[in-house]
């Protein structure tokens, strides 16, 4: 059995939970999320699989 987890949904879920818990962090969470998604887009998802 081969299980692979994508980084994008995990980052989205974590960011959503943090925004619900601490709304003041919204700007930082959105900025980090956009940077992470941009890096995944540039360098490919293949190198970031868990």
């Amino acid at each position: 059995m081969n299980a692979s987890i994508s980084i994008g949904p995990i980052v989205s879920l974590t960011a959503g939970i943090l925004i619900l818990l601490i709304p003041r962090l919204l700007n930082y969470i959105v900025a980090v999320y956009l940077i992470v998604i941009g890096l995944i887009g540039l360098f490919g998802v293949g190198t970031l699989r868990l």
Side-chain angles (χ1 to χ4, degrees), residues 2-23:
N2 188 6
S4 69
I5 300 172
S6 297
I7 297 294
I10 293 173
V11 173
S12 298
L13 182 61
T14 305
I17 291 170
L18 287 174
I19 289 169
L20 284 175
L21 295 176
I22 311 169

Side-chain angles (χ1 to χ4, degrees), residues 12-36:
S12 298
L13 182 61
T14 305
I17 291 170
L18 287 174
I19 289 169
L20 284 175
L21 295 176
I22 311 169
R24 292 179 303 176
L25 292 178
L26 178 63
N27 292 335
Y28 298 110
I29 292 171
V30 170
V32 169
Y33 176 77
L34 291 173
I35 290 169
V36 168

